[in-house]
Amino acid sequence: MSRKVFVGPALRRLREETRLTQTAFSQRLGLSVSYLNQIENNQRPVTASVLVALGQTFGVDLATFATDDIDRLVTDLREASADPLLTDAAPSLQDLKRVASDSPAFARAFLRLHQTARRLGERLQAAGDAPILPPSGEETAGALLPYEEVRDYFHYVDNYVDDLDRAAEDLAERLGLAAASDRVQVLAGYLAARHGLNVDANANLGDDVLERYEAGPNIIALDGSLDSSTRAFLLANRIARLEQSDTMAAIVSAAGFRSRAAADIGRVALANYFAGALLLPYRRFLAAAKETRHDLDWLGRIFGASLEQVCHRLSTLQRGGQRGIPFYFVKVDRAGNVIKRHSATRFQFARFGGACPLWNVHEAFEQAGRTFVQVAEMPDGTRYLSLARAVTKGAAHWRAPVRRYAFGLGCEISYAGEIVYSEGIDLKADANVAKIGVSCRICERANCHQRAVPPIDREIRVPSDRRKVVPFDLS
């Protein structure tokens, strides 16, 4: 059954941006005013013919009207509305879908308010109910964690930034990076010729410093313990800071980050984005990904990139007219903390608390270097081909700290035939499917043997005549 697509707010925003009345707008599309009004108010779904007319008449990318944003908003709203503070007035799932579809701006504002209230509550608890004042120079909205603001920004732009991506691809072509045997040397030569900077690639910077930029003597110092892929990435990142500062400032301004710290972190993330796009230029990388059937190690050898760089880049291939497979990418530590999270999929991530213990990204720590493959089903019935692998960041010397992470990469099961890791797996066998959830606190699965805590929006019953692995039943 085909899915009905409602695009009211996006269509209304397009009409307002073109400064057209409903009458003029409907005439250009060959629609009646009443039909346009119904579409704008989400009373009727948009048809394929109307979407085509919008693309031909106004030159808009049809991805503008994608419904993934609505799915993500509904998931986030459902988790927020399960807060005990809202128990007596929790809206239904249908109400949440209606709000996300009809008033997405209001939905995002509600999420920001909920995050602020939650963080302030945590700070009050930590301070023993002492008065909490916002940091100097910050607005009260700074109660939102800066990393969460930046994470949500990338979450809602499908982890793709067109201006930076195209600029990076153009520079990669000019430098001939695709054919270069030593990308560090090419980038170092470019920095010397274009910016008068000398690169010292064998500096001793200490255990926690990777790169140091000294503007006075015009030196970029890289720690000598770094591998070539990390060195290339750091030099590409420095190029972004030197040449894309105006573009990044404009993007940060348009993003509307609510704190200075979030804006600063946003610029760091955008510089990292440019660096990845420079080392793995869009069209060449997309072609190689298709040719290798998304073999992570093979792609790493072709582009001289690390596993993390390859996985991250796969999650960004969402350019209009040249889209790759929509992937999610996540990086976690051994405690389950999500360090990095990017997604062009509908995969539902927990905003608070830990992720589902049945997800194979946790299992990966049991055997570093092995790629774990899992068919995972979320509570909404969507199935994903999920890959996970743990890596160890080597130490520079005997007493240097060792860092261990696990990377998760996945896509909807409909794309599994294009992924080499699906070979030999019966994708249709229910016995091979792991029934995972977002997190225990909002998971509605009643019979999960790994449940840590009951869902906060369900009542529990503790039976007196029997004892199960999980000591309670859900009402």
Side-chain angles (χ1 to χ4, degrees):
M1 181 181 296
S2 60
R3 184 183 184 188
K4 293 182 179 180
V5 178
F6 294 89
V7 298
L11 185 63
R12 184 165 54 251
R13 185 166 57 251
L14 173 63
R15 179 177 61 79
E16 291 170 349
E17 289 173 352
T18 56
R19 300 181 183 276
L20 294 175
T21 64
Q22 281 192 338
T23 300
F25 196 80
S26 61
Q27 288 176 345
R28 293 198 184 186
L29 293 175
L31 307 175
S32 68
V33 177
S34 61
Y35 183 31
L36 175 63
N37 183 270
Q38 289 175 324
I39 295 176
E40 284 195 3
N41 288 283
N42 275 348
Q43 295 173 356
R44 294 184 65 174
V46 68
T47 63
S49 60
V50 172
L51 287 175
V52 170
L54 284 166
Q56 293 176 342
T57 305
F58 296 99
V60 296
D61 185 352
L62 297 186
T64 303
F65 302 104
T67 59
D68 287 352
D69 268 10
I70 303 301
D71 295 329
R72 294 169 186 168
L73 273 175
V74 170
T75 299
D76 294 345
L77 286 170
R78 182 172 178 271
E79 186 171 8
S81 64
D83 193 299
L85 287 173
L86 303 174
T87 299
D88 294 335
S92 67
L93 179 60
Q94 199 59 40
D95 288 337
L96 297 179
K97 289 180 178 180
R98 189 175 298 112
V99 170
S101 177
D102 294 352
S103 304
F106 177 84
R108 293 190 179 95
F110 171 79
L111 290 172
R112 285 197 297 270
L113 285 171
H114 177 259
Q115 285 180 314
T116 300
R118 184 181 178 87
R119 294 306 174 197
L120 286 173
E122 290 173 351
R123 291 170 67 188
L124 283 167
Q125 282 187 324
D129 293 333
I132 299 297
L133 298 177
S136 177
E138 296 287 347
E139 299 177 358
T140 304
L144 288 174
L145 295 183
Y147 275 97
E148 291 178 341
E149 284 196 78
V150 176
R151 179 197 66 190
D152 284 355
Y153 165 75
F154 281 96
H155 183 62
Y156 287 113
V157 299
D158 277 344
N159 199 30
Y160 176 75
V161 185
D162 190 68
D163 289 345
L164 290 179
D165 211 299
R166 292 183 185 274
E169 185 176 31
D170 290 344
L171 180 56
E173 292 296 324
R174 295 201 305 272
L175 296 180
L177 279 178
S181 58
D182 188 339
R183 299 182 184 208
V184 174
Q185 185 178 24
V186 171
L187 295 173
Y190 175 75
L191 283 163
R194 178 69 183 270
H195 299 284
L197 292 171
N198 297 313
V199 176
D200 177 5
N202 292 291
N204 183 9
L205 302 180
D207 293 340
D208 60 348
V209 179
L210 305 179
E211 179 238 22
R212 186 173 65 237
Y213 174 51
E214 301 176 9
N218 294 332
I219 292 177
I220 297 176
L222 303 178
D223 192 81
S225 67
L226 301 175
D227 58 40
S228 61
S229 64
T230 304
R231 293 183 187 187
F233 185 85
L234 291 171
L235 294 180
N237 182 287
R238 183 55 58 184
I239 291 172
R241 294 167 183 265
L242 292 169
E243 299 184 0
Q244 298 297 321
S245 58
D246 290 344
T247 300
M248 293 190 297
I251 294 171
V252 167
S253 177
F257 294 126
R258 299 165 65 85
S259 70
R260 183 176 61 249
D264 291 341
I265 293 170
R267 280 186 284 271
V268 171
L270 291 170
N272 288 340
Y273 184 99
F274 179 91
L278 178 58
L279 297 175
L280 297 89
Y282 196 99
R283 286 171 293 180
R284 290 182 181 273
F285 184 76
L286 177 60
K290 291 179 178 179
E291 183 178 352
T292 64
R293 297 187 64 211
H294 303 84
D295 187 307
L296 304 179
D297 298 300
W298 198 347
L299 288 170
R301 289 194 297 272
I302 292 172
F303 291 92
S306 68
L307 175 66
E308 181 173 0
Q309 291 167 4
V310 169
C311 291
H312 191 173
R313 188 55 169 150
L314 285 171
S315 74
T316 69
L317 300 179
Q318 295 299 299
R319 179 181 294 179
Q322 297 175 303
R323 295 182 185 274
I325 292 176
F327 281 101
Y328 70 74
F329 169 57
V330 66
K331 176 181 179 181
V332 302
D333 65 16
R334 296 183 70 177
N337 298 307
V338 177
I339 300 171
K340 183 181 293 186
R341 189 191 87 184
H342 298 289
S343 181
T345 74
R346 292 180 292 165
F347 191 87
Q348 301 169 21
F349 294 96
R351 297 173 70 86
F352 309 107
C356 178
L358 299 178
W359 190 19
N360 65 348
V361 72
H362 305 296
E363 183 183 7
F365 284 108
E366 297 175 7
Q367 189 174 338
R370 173 187 167 189
T371 300
F372 288 77
V373 183
Q374 177 187 60
V375 177
E377 181 180 288
M378 295 297 286
D380 65 358
T382 306
R383 293 185 176 182
Y384 296 85
L385 184 71
S386 298
L387 314 177
R389 188 191 299 180
V391 299
T392 299
K393 300 286 187 178
H397 55 82
W398 169 244
R399 295 189 180 278
V402 175
R403 294 166 292 155
R404 294 181 176 87
Y405 304 106
F407 301 124
L409 183 76
C411 64
E412 292 192 20
I413 205 70
S414 58
Y415 297 100
E418 302 173 50
I419 313 293
V420 67
Y421 301 96
S422 67
E423 293 179 357
I425 299 176
D426 186 349
L427 301 175
K428 296 182 179 180
D430 288 340
N432 294 336
V433 178
K435 305 283 189 175
I436 70 173
V438 180
S439 71
C440 288
R441 69 191 301 274
I442 64 167
C443 183
E444 61 262 38
R445 298 194 189 281
N447 299 311
C448 177
H449 64 282
Q450 282 286 157
R451 179 175 287 283
V453 295
I456 61 178
D457 58 348
R458 299 274 295 277
E459 292 185 2
I460 65 172
R461 298 188 307 273
V462 181
S464 59
D465 59 344
R466 64 188 184 280
R467 178 65 162 83
K468 301 190 300 182
V469 174
V470 178
F472 53 80
D473 296 325
L474 301 180
S475 61

